[in-house]
Amino acid sequence: MILIRNVEPADAEVYWNLRLEALKMNPEAFGDSYEEAVQVPLSDEVKQIQNKRDHKVLKK
């Protein structure tokens, strides 16, 4: 069974590491590059994962 839920701020570090790995392995699937993404501080990513009503980040 696959559980899909919102990514929470507490998930930021795990999510970010997974995203960076995916950027290395499949860069064509993203709008930015690994080189750009790796420079983004984790604190900025936490701000992006605030699950505002009109802005969702999901993971499976």
Side-chain angles (χ1 to χ4, degrees):
M1 179 168 87
I2 296 175
L3 173 66
I4 298 176
R5 65 176 181 82
N6 289 338
V7 175
E8 300 291 334
D11 300 320
E13 186 172 3
V14 172
Y15 166 76
W16 194 237
N17 289 330
L18 181 61
R19 179 176 165 78
L20 291 176
E21 181 181 334
L23 276 163
K24 283 184 193 176
M25 296 176 67
N26 299 96
E28 69 281 356
F30 297 88
D32 55 355
S33 70
Y34 173 83
E35 292 77 14
E36 293 169 327
V38 76
Q39 294 182 28
V40 175
L42 183 59
S43 60
D44 287 359
E45 186 59 26
V46 170
K47 290 176 190 173
Q48 291 293 319
I49 304 177
Q50 294 300 318
N51 290 317
K52 296 175 186 167
R53 182 181 177 134
D54 61 346
H55 183 78
K56 299 287 184 184
V57 177
L58 303 175
K59 73 174 187 177
K60 100 177 169 174

